[in-house]
Amino acid sequence: MGISIFHSVYLDTNLCVGCTTCIKHCPTQAIRVREGKASIMEERCIDCGECIRVCPKGAKKSATDPLALMSDYDIRVALPAPSLYGQFGSACKPAEIFDALYSVGFNEVFDVAWGASVLTPAIRRFVASTQTRPLISSACPVIVRLIQLRFPSLIPNLVPFLPPMEITARKVRELLAQIYQSDRRYSMPGESGEFDQHRAGVFFITPCTSKVTAIRLPLGYKQSMVSAVFSFQDIFASLKKAMAPRGEGEAGDPAPHGHSGHEKFSRFSGLGRGFDWARSDGELESLRIPGAVSVDGIENVITLFEDIDNGKFSDIPYIEALACPGGCVGGPMAVANPHVARSTIKAIAASANSSASQTQAESAKRGSVSPERNNDSPERLYSVTDESMRWETEVTPTPVMLLDRDLTVALKLAEGMETIAASLPGLDCGACGGPDCRSLAEDIVKGKAKIDDCIVRLKQKIIAPEASMPSSAACGKQA
Amino acid sequence: MKLSLSIPWMDFSAAGKASAEVKKLLARLGIEQGLVKRIAIAMYEGEMNIAIHGGGGTADIELTPDLVDIYLRDHGPGIPDIGLAMTEGYSTASEEIRNMGFGAGMGLPNMKRNADELYIESVVNQGTTVHLVFHLNRKQE
Ligand SMILES: Nc1ncnc2c1ncn2[C@@H]1O[C@H](COP(=O)(O)OP(=O)(O)O)[C@@H](O)[C@H]1O
Ligand code: SF4
Ligand code: SF4
Ligand SMILES: [Mg+2]
């Protein structure tokens, strides 16, 4: 089946018919069809999920973690991505979704929108502190990987902060340790009652294929504090069921981990601006940086990055770049229609924003860490320094296209590639199993394909074996 | 090795294609990022000049372990006063072109800034050749 140790996106070989649709849409040319089946070149995959979107057979899938993993942990914390609140239609209140999360077995719920909301002012300060333009948001892991692979010269333009998911997960771990170690009323299930981070599961709930990879191969930090990643598609049905009106069969049963008094720090905070990060433009609207630009959809992002690479747009201060159309609401594992979800998120963010004080009261009622429980004010507990959100490790180029480390050898191979490319029809039809003629030439010099994989050329050879092969110039392209 | 690319006239959907192709080649060769950036910027400006002013033409890229030579050739109107054309902000681009975001008169000055060497040969009514040279082993200033 080919499930990768790092990547989320994989191929179900049984379903693949080798139609070559996906190879054309892959932004890093990571897919080839060989012997009738697609295969992904691991080192080139950025987990954007484009192939999942375009495959007519549903053969491209995403391997997130199974929900059953929850039972491996004594404390289970849900970290819903802001886009979760857009999945159930505008009639459904965030509080109901929050409650549903308890019902399905989480002890604690902590919104990733919180991470986005504390990151917002930090980014604003960073933008003011540097001359580099345009700065590029690093919130979407696909974008960071795209830059590493295809636009390494833009690495210095990335805003060097952890993504909201990780900022939130770190705070959650910190709070767990604080609460379980300092407050005698809370102890870990088990004999010793000693708090153990390993027995506390922090679960990110997301529509995003790239988050699985982001926790396995973190970008800009050493280790992720997230235990597992659950997809909207996997959890949707059980949340929906938990939200069904009471009295309707099982749904009315007392929840195994009902939230009455159980939760220690769950907060449904008045973080309207954080929720907004679920959709394109949302990050910009919270940042309020004049002249900033938002771009969504991987192809649009690439077009813009090419221009920046060519020296354009150095007057744009900040770019919110999201791989998915419409932002995270358009994530490959989302359930709701992204356009509908986008409006829902807008509405939620607006109302949460306008009633910040009311929500705060609600948050206190819901049992967020309160002064009575801890001798610390919530403000101090929830505070984060800009420094603590910064990248800790360098994000480096991933030279996946490199033909050889030795320039002389690489030049020879490149030359061979161009010669082969010139003898190919230049149709970029994909029948060879590669995205274009040049990629077949590349695969040939790398010994991964042969010239007769070009069916068009082969056919011409059979029909007119004595005639010379048409150069690509004959097909309207310069050799 | 050599790479030859055609640059169509006034085809804005193709704008930047030659430059993108060169960038891909440089990535295959593992050329250092700072240099790639300089080449990309100069190449893009040259490509746009051929597309806008030169009536279309070609880009020939020659690579050795020491040098990248880029010849941008067209058979267009030529440049009557190269010194003037090199002046920052000087442009003969039409109103229409300017409205499309080109014609700021910074192209040639940017090419000079980014290339290690720049040579322009131009004959009025015959065409223009811009020769850009980049040194591979020289550290970026
Ligand atoms: N290939 C060319 N053929 C004819 N004229 C050119 C060519 N390249 C540049 N020029 C002339 O030089 C001027 C300055 O070029 P440049 O600095 O790139 O600015 P811009 O392209 O914005 O006008 C152009 O406006 C044009 O008159
Ligand atoms: S789109 Fe790709 S994975 Fe899907 S059937 Fe076609 S070749 Fe196979
Ligand atoms: S836009 Fe959001 S959902 Fe899509 S890849 Fe980026 S972070 Fe993931
Ligand atoms: Mg110009």
Side-chain angles (χ1 to χ4, degrees), chain B residues 45 49 53 107-108:
Chain B
E45 292 293 355
N49 278 359
H53 312 292
L108 286 170

Side-chain angles (χ1 to χ4, degrees), chain B residues 52-70:
Chain B
I52 294 169
H53 312 292
T58 51
D60 290 287
I61 297 95
E62 294 180 23
L63 272 133
T64 67
D66 306 309
L67 287 177
V68 181
D69 283 287
I70 299 176

Side-chain angles (χ1 to χ4, degrees), chain B residues 5 7-9 45-60 71-79 108 111 120-131:
Chain B
L5 303 159
I7 300 164
W9 182 51
E45 292 293 355
E47 181 183 354
M48 292 319 294
N49 278 359
I50 290 180
I52 294 169
H53 312 292
T58 51
D60 290 287
Y71 297 91
L72 297 149
R73 296 190 177 95
D74 67 62
H75 301 286
I79 306 173
L108 286 170
M111 287 159 85
I120 302 176
E121 270 175 45
S122 191
V123 180
V124 173
N125 291 328
Q126 284 188 27
T128 305
T129 298
V130 176
H131 178 195

Side-chain angles (χ1 to χ4, degrees), chain A residues 195-325:
Chain A
F195 177 70
D196 178 1
Q197 285 285 13
H198 295 106
R199 285 162 58 206
V202 175
F203 305 103
F204 185 48
I205 302 170
T206 180
C208 176
T209 35
S210 74
K211 296 292 163 38
V212 176
T213 318
I215 72 162
R216 291 179 196 164
L217 292 172
L219 295 161
Y221 50 105
K222 286 184 208 90
Q223 211 203 330
S224 177
M225 294 293 147
V226 176
S227 318
V229 174
F230 298 151
S231 82
F232 283 4
Q233 280 173 7
D234 286 346
I235 208 167
F236 184 81
S238 38
L239 288 180
K240 196 84 192 163
K241 197 172 153 201
M243 279 189 288
R246 303 272 144 172
E248 257 182 40
E250 287 176 276
D253 294 348
H257 305 281
H259 74 286
S260 44
H262 277 263
E263 73 277 19
K264 280 92 191 169
F265 59 75
S266 295
R267 66 196 251 126
F268 171 58
S269 31
L271 303 167
R273 286 304 176 193
F275 283 119
D276 248 356
W277 282 48
R279 61 175 178 97
S280 52
D281 282 330
E283 182 181 341
L284 285 197
E285 282 168 27
S286 45
L287 280 168
R288 280 173 278 123
I289 298 167
V293 166
S294 167
V295 57
D296 59 308
I298 193 102
E299 281 308 323
N300 299 330
V301 171
I302 289 170
T303 308
L304 184 67
F305 284 2
E306 285 289 359
D307 278 344
I308 298 170
D309 231 5
N310 291 332
K312 286 180 158 185
F313 301 133
S314 52
D315 53 336
I316 297 177
Y318 190 84
I319 295 173
E320 169 203 80
L322 296 163
C324 296

